[in-house]
Amino acid sequence: MKNLVVFASGSGSNFQAIIDAIRDNRIQAQISGLITNRENSGADRRAAANKIPVAIISDPDPSSYYRQLQNQLANWSPDLIILAGYLKIIPAEIVTEYYNRIINIHPSLLPKYGGKGYYGLKVHEAVLESGDQVTGCTVHYVNERYDEGDIIEQRIVPVKDHDTPESLAARVLKTEHQLLPQVIQNLLTQN
Ligand code: GRF
């Protein structure tokens, strides 16, 4: 059985989409654990509800943050690491150790609206300000710079008249929930 480790600190709806896809056999793997830097986040609560082990790693000191991550990952030995709403940068040593085994989902058509500062509603506000007719979501490999690793797959989502950042975010998020489990299963069966 392949092992997944999910990093998430937000509402955890993408984490939930992975849990649901495993339950429905759309992903053949198990989630070894959740790594989060925010106790009592939605993701943390979803892990508890599904009896998934949680590691809360929030040490502000970079070297002990790295060591804790490294130990936890060594314990869980992931075949694939999924960042799903995790804002902290992954230390370069971890990126190297798990080269091409760390992916992230981002709520825009990268390289548009990616990088530091483009998170949450800020992404969708920028799309609306630009007047773009379409947006979407991207799953990409993670390197040590925000949102810059190679793109694996994208889905396009229409921007509608009268969209607000919130309505656009909700439409993109629904598509994320379809895209992420598909990419995970594809990657697991390729390797
Ligand atoms: C998603 O929009 C994802 O693309 C981004 O963070 C958000 C996480 O949402 N990286 P959720 O916590 O999965 O609901």
Side-chain angles (χ1 to χ4, degrees):
M1 183 65 85
K2 303 263 182 170
N3 292 328
L4 307 179
V5 169
V6 179
F7 284 56
S9 300
S11 86
S13 71
N14 278 290
F15 177 43
Q16 186 69 51
I18 300 169
I19 295 170
D20 294 346
I22 291 174
R23 188 198 52 217
D24 300 346
N25 214 26
R26 285 176 285 121
I27 294 178
Q28 277 111 43
Q30 62 191 8
I31 301 175
S32 309
L34 171 77
I35 293 181
T36 183
N37 60 339
R38 274 186 53 222
E39 202 170 345
N40 216 16
S41 63
D44 190 14
R45 289 195 298 273
R46 290 176 202 267
N50 289 280
K51 301 190 169 49
I52 294 169
V54 179
I56 296 162
I57 303 183
S58 57
D59 203 309
D61 174 60
S63 64
S64 55
Y65 171 68
Y66 159 63
R67 267 198 313 279
Q68 288 175 37
L69 279 184
Q70 195 195 30
N71 286 338
Q72 191 58 65
L73 289 172
N75 274 339
W76 282 339
S77 61
D79 296 287
L80 191 63
I81 296 170
I82 300 125
L83 312 189
Y86 187 76
L87 292 179
K88 273 173 87 75
I89 208 93
I90 301 297
E93 298 90 335
I94 302 273
V95 173
T96 306
E97 191 173 338
Y98 293 90
Y99 183 69
N100 270 356
R101 280 189 288 153
I102 313 179
I103 63 172
N104 178 49
I105 183 149
H106 184 80
S108 76
L109 293 173
L110 289 174
K112 285 186 125 179
Y113 314 111
K116 206 165 165 57
Y118 280 120
Y119 60 88
L121 287 179
K122 292 186 197 303
V123 175
H124 307 291
E125 283 162 5
V127 171
L128 292 177
E129 270 163 32
S130 75
D132 287 359
Q133 301 291 299
V134 292
T135 183
C137 50
T138 302
V139 179
H140 63 94
Y141 287 110
V142 168
N143 63 20
E144 60 285 357
R145 290 179 305 279
Y146 279 109
D147 303 328
E148 283 187 23
D150 288 349
I151 291 172
I152 302 169
E153 231 177 294
Q154 299 184 302
R155 288 277 188 287
I156 291 174
V157 174
V159 177
K160 297 190 178 169
D161 291 347
H162 313 300
D163 254 334
T164 61
E166 289 80 4
S167 66
L168 188 54
R171 192 174 314 116
V172 172
L173 195 58
K174 264 193 176 172
T175 307
E176 292 182 43
H177 297 160
Q178 296 163 1
L179 177 63
L180 185 59
Q182 285 173 9
V183 171
I184 293 170
Q185 177 64 9
N186 285 346
L187 292 174
L188 292 175
T189 50
Q190 269 167 28
N191 297 330

